[in-house]
Structures are given as structure tokens and as C-alpha cells.
Amino acid sequence: MANMGIDAYSPAEVVEMVSRTGVIKGNMRLDKVFFSAVSAGCLLAFACGTVLSTNTTPWFQTNAPGLIRTISAFFFPYGLCMIILTGADLCTGSFMYTTIAALQRKLPWYKMLIHWVVTFFGNLAGSLFVVAIIFGYGEVFTADPFKSAVISFATKKQVTPTFHEIFLRGIGCNWLVCLACFFGIQGRDLASKVIGIWWPIFGFVSLGLDHVVANMAFIPMAIWVGAPDITVGLYIWKGIIPTLIGNIIGGGLFAGAYYWYMYLVDTPSIPMYGIRKNGEKSADGSEVFPKDDVEGSAGVTGRAA
């Protein structure tokens, strides 16, 4: 009978790879970090545009708002798939990667914080580029019913909820986003990675949780089309500050610190048997790891969001 076991890395192996990835990301040249983050911001903004377009369904918004949010949530994860599979840097994923690396004392804390700042502003630059140039001047959402849907969506995210509600939603959001990053590393083949990424992201969108980089597209788009109750000041106060703090706690504490504590504290170095280390040789001259395990190798070399 054929072996029906699941071909995936163990949780302990994944956390070890996350730690190594955090070291690589934290020591990357800052210009590369910035442009990688710009790419991530652009890619996620496209997915945000899909959510806004899918939500432009007046009958469903009136009669089945939960259903249409679930449908739009099903398509949004393609944004994070593109980010992770191209190796771009999303600040929310960095909150987990570099935190674990810093807790392992493999990355200085100041480098962790610098990486957070650079990826945040890179994500913002990329998101605003797509909002202004592609969606804005491209007039993707300037006519009704799309314009009304953009304003309504942003109003429900920024005007209606209180500061502490957005903060708590931010914690839950990045907890799930970092789980998606975790599963993206855990799978060995492309299909497994995509499926692993998909479902936690579907969860956070279907629940209406708040992601600081997604808000970089949703809220500026509403400001661009003239939302009457949303200003830049309100966006900074409720779209960035509580969401960012919540995302840091969700990714750094609920994901990063927890998995570090569970799998790396007081634990001997975890051997990565399934990963090829650039043709490393054993004492007898044979290769230590399989030649074709490129997905495992990507986990060590930093191919994750």
C-alpha cells in the first residue's frame, strides 16, 4: 500500500526555519528590504481591490451581508500567496519572523525594529502607489456603484468602530496572518503552501478583522473618491495606530513568542533533515540533504513574507 503520510515539516522544524528566515530578513540590505516591502504593499493592494469590487453588490449588502463578505474573503488570500511565493516583505509577517530570531538571540533587537520600520513604510508606499496610480487615475472605483461601496466599506472600518475595537481586531487579524505564513513554510510543495496560506487569511477577512497594510489600501481609496467622514487624521488615528499595535501583539506575542516558547526554549538545535544546504557534503563526500528539496531550502533562505 502506498504511503499516505503528510509530506510537511513538523511544527518545531517550521519554527526553526522561521527563526533562520528572521535572521536573514533582519540582516538584509535596507534598500532591498524597502523595495521588497513596496512590492508586498502593491500586491496586497490588488487583493484589497478585489475585495472592494466583490463587495459592490447592493442586494447582497442589504439581504445577505455575511454571505457576500464570506465570498470576498475567499478570493482575498491570493494577495498573501503572491507575497509569500515571491519572497516580498510584509511588515505584519516580519513581526513574527524577526521576533523569534531576536528571542533566539540570533538578531539584535535594534535590527528587528529597523526592519519593522522599513517594511512598514515600504508597504505604505506600495499600497499608495496602486491606490493612486492604478485604481485612482485608472478610475477603477470612481463611478457608482463601486464608489459607494468603497465609501461604505471604509466607513464601517474607520468611523463606526471604536479605537479599542479596532485594536482587538488587529490582534486577531495578525495572529491568523502569521499562521498563514507558518503554514506557507510548513508545506513542501507549491499546492500545499497555497492551501496553507489560504484558510487563515480567509478567516481574518470573513471575520472583518483589521490588517494595517490592507487598511493602507482600503482607507486611502475611500479618501481618494471623496468619503465625507474620513480624513487623513482619522485614518492615522484609527486606521494605523490601533491596527498596527494590535498587529504587533498578534504577530509578535500570540504567534512569535508563543511558538518560540513552545519549540525553541530549552530545546537542542533542531536538525533540518529535509533541507539541502547549498550542496553541503558529509564526511564521506555525499550530500547531506536531497538535491531536489528546493521548497525546504527556500524556508532557510528567506522565501517567506
Side-chain angles (χ1 to χ4, degrees), residues 77-279:
Y78 81 81
L80 192 67
C81 287
M82 294 191 296
I83 290 168
I84 290 180
L85 297 178
T86 59
D89 280 282
L90 199 65
C91 69
T92 47
S94 175
F95 299 154
M96 176 180 69
Y97 289 111
T98 56
T99 294
I100 292 179
L103 289 170
Q104 277 293 91
R105 298 182 180 179
K106 295 179 179 179
L107 181 72
W109 289 99
Y110 78 90
K111 285 192 174 184
M112 178 194 80
L113 295 175
I114 290 172
H115 194 269
W116 290 7
V117 171
V118 175
T119 53
F120 174 84
F121 283 105
N123 292 161
L124 180 61
S127 298
L128 294 181
F129 174 81
V130 171
V131 167
I133 305 302
I134 308 299
F135 295 161
Y137 289 118
E139 298 190 355
V140 176
F141 296 105
T142 53
D144 278 328
F146 298 101
K147 177 180 178 180
S148 298
V150 169
I151 294 173
S152 174
F153 186 89
T155 299
K156 292 174 183 177
K157 272 198 166 291
Q158 292 289 267
V159 180
T160 306
T162 63
F163 187 98
H164 81 275
E165 289 172 342
I166 296 173
F167 163 72
L168 294 173
R169 294 175 189 180
I171 294 175
C173 170
N174 207 34
W175 191 351
L176 290 171
V177 169
C178 288
L179 275 175
C181 295
F182 188 102
F183 297 151
I185 287 181
Q186 190 163 28
R188 290 178 185 265
D189 62 277
L190 185 63
S192 297
K193 290 178 180 292
V194 170
I195 294 170
I197 294 165
W198 208 271
W199 295 113
I201 303 303
F202 168 82
F204 106 68
V205 179
S206 66
L207 292 170
L209 304 179
D210 278 270
H211 188 270
V212 70
V213 183
N215 282 355
M216 293 174 183
F218 290 136
I219 313 308
M221 192 69 249
I223 295 173
W224 182 279
V225 299
D229 299 320
I230 302 176
T231 64
V232 174
L234 178 68
Y235 165 53
I236 294 173
W237 175 241
K238 293 179 72 176
I240 291 181
I241 295 175
T243 314
L244 179 61
I245 297 172
N247 286 171
I248 290 173
I249 293 173
L253 180 62
F254 283 69
Y258 169 76
Y259 289 118
W260 168 78
Y261 177 79
M262 292 299 295
Y263 295 109
L264 297 182
V265 171
D266 300 325
T267 301
S269 181
I270 298 173
M272 306 305 298
Y273 294 114
I275 298 176
R276 177 171 60 92
K277 293 184 178 179
N278 299 322

Side-chain angles (χ1 to χ4, degrees), residues 1-76:
M1 181 178 292
N3 184 4
M4 299 298 290
I6 298 175
D7 185 16
Y9 297 106
S10 70
E13 289 174 325
V14 174
V15 179
E16 175 65 24
M17 285 194 285
V18 169
S19 174
R20 298 182 189 187
T21 302
V23 173
I24 293 170
K25 287 181 176 293
N27 287 294
M28 191 185 300
R29 274 175 38 185
L30 293 183
D31 60 319
K32 287 193 172 187
V33 173
F34 179 77
F35 286 115
S36 177
V38 169
S39 174
C42 291
L43 296 177
L44 198 68
F46 285 122
C48 292
T50 299
V51 168
L52 293 172
S53 178
T54 307
N55 273 281
T56 308
T57 47
W59 186 91
F60 277 96
Q61 291 295 349
T62 301
N63 297 280
L67 176 60
I68 196 59
R69 188 163 74 178
T70 300
I71 293 173
S72 65
F74 182 77
F75 294 102
F76 180 81

